[in-house]
Amino acid sequence: NAGVTQTPKFQVLKTGQSMTLQCAQDMNHNSMYWYRQDPGMGLRLIYYSASEGTTDKGEVPNGYNVSRLNKREFSLRLESAAPSQTSVYFCASTSPQGTGSYGYTFGSGTRLTVV
Amino acid sequence: GQQVMQIPQYQHVQEGEDFTTYCNSSTTLSNIQWYKQRPGGHPVFLIQLVKSGEVKKQKRLTFQFGEAKKNSSLHITATQTTDVGTYFCAGPKAAGNKLTFGGGTRVLVKP
C-alpha cells in the first residue's frame, strides 16, 4: 500500500501563478484534509472533505480552493499564488467509522515556495 | 474557538535522560492523538487516547489522558537519538473529525 501520495514534492511559483496540488489515498478512507505547516509552527487546516462529494473550509481557507474528485483524490488549488502561501502542504486521510482508530495518515508533503 | 497548547516548545535532552511534554486544550476533548514528525518528514500517528485517566505505553513512551479530558502528557524514558523530532498532540473539534493540532514540542537529543 502506498498510503497517501502527494505530487509534486517541491514547487517554486512566481507571485500570481496558479497551481494544483494533488493528493490520492489508496486506503478507502472517507475523510481527507489539507493542512499547511509554516516553519516552527504546528499544522493549520485549510480545507477538508468529510466524505466523497462534500468539502468545507478549515481554519485558513483564504486563497485556496479544493476538489474532491472521487473517494481517492482530493486536490488543492492556488488560484493566484502569494508569498504568504510559501509553506509545506500536507494531505491527510482517515476513516472515522468502523476502524477503531481515528488517526490520520499523512502524505510526504509538498514544499512550495512563492517568489 | 478550540485551542490546543503544548509546552515546552523546545526540549533539549541529554541522551539517557527522561522528559515529559504537556498538552492542554481549552475545551473538553472526546479523544486526544499524538503524532511524531522527524526533521524534514511528515507527521506519523503514534496513539489515540479516549478514556478519562487513560494511560498507554509504547516501549519507552508513556501517554496519559487527564481525568477532565482537557490535558495530556507524553513521557519518554531513557531518551535516545532516535527520539529526535517534533511531537504534536491533536484533538478533534466538536463537529466532525477535524483535528486541531498543538504547536508541537521539538525534541533535540544531546549524545
Side-chain angles (χ1 to χ4, degrees):
Chain A
N1 275 347
V4 178
T5 302
Q6 288 184 240
T7 56
K9 293 191 184 302
F10 300 93
Q11 184 72 49
V12 178
L13 288 178
K14 293 182 179 179
T15 298
Q17 286 185 319
S18 61
M19 79 162 294
T20 300
L21 281 63
Q22 307 286 352
C23 175
Q25 52 92 7
D26 61 2
M27 297 169 287
N28 202 34
H29 283 169
N30 293 319
S31 302
M32 298 185 72
Y33 310 83
W34 277 104
Y35 283 85
R36 61 177 288 175
Q37 184 176 37
D38 299 304
M41 295 183 66
L43 297 130
R44 292 184 292 170
L45 182 65
I46 305 171
Y47 269 94
Y48 68 100
S49 172
S51 61
E52 185 179 359
T54 70
T55 62
D56 214 337
K57 296 178 181 179
E59 185 184 350
V60 289
N62 291 344
Y64 306 95
N65 283 301
V66 290
S67 295
R68 183 75 182 264
L69 303 170
N70 47 56
K71 191 172 185 178
R72 290 187 63 248
E73 298 172 285
F74 188 39
S75 63
L76 177 71
R77 183 160 178 85
L78 287 70
E79 290 292 349
S80 179
S84 61
Q85 294 179 305
T86 293
S87 189
V88 180
Y89 292 84
F90 288 103
C91 177
S93 70
T94 190
S95 205
Q97 296 179 3
T99 65
S101 170
Y102 293 65
Y104 286 11
T105 300
F106 281 86
S108 58
T110 295
R111 284 152 179 78
L112 175 67
T113 302
V114 183
V115 298
Chain B
Q2 179 190 62
Q3 290 187 339
V4 177
M5 293 153 287
Q6 286 185 252
I7 53 171
Q9 189 174 1
Y10 297 94
Q11 181 82 53
H12 291 81
V13 189
Q14 191 72 44
E15 190 173 13
E17 290 185 342
D18 301 353
F19 78 91
T20 303
T21 178
Y22 300 90
C23 175
N24 295 290
S25 171
S26 58
T27 60
T28 302
L29 300 171
S30 59
N31 67 78
I32 190 126
Q33 301 179 20
W34 285 88
Y35 293 77
K36 178 182 179 180
Q37 184 177 24
R38 295 183 184 276
H42 59 277
V44 174
F45 174 66
L46 294 177
I47 206 162
Q48 176 182 258
L49 305 171
V50 178
K51 299 177 183 177
S52 170
E54 187 171 15
V55 177
K56 287 188 176 180
K57 291 188 176 183
Q58 289 182 348
K59 297 183 180 178
R60 296 178 294 101
L61 277 61
T62 301
F63 304 85
Q64 186 167 8
F65 202 7
E67 294 291 339
K69 302 183 76 172
K70 294 182 71 174
N71 57 73
S72 182
S73 64
L74 161 59
H75 180 80
I76 300 183
T77 304
T79 305
Q80 299 177 358
T81 55
T82 53
D83 295 323
V84 164
T86 302
Y87 294 82
F88 293 99
C89 65
K93 283 188 178 287
N97 195 39
K98 308 181 299 294
L99 288 179
T100 298
F101 283 80
T105 293
R106 184 176 175 187
V107 175
L108 304 170
V109 179
K110 295 177 283 187

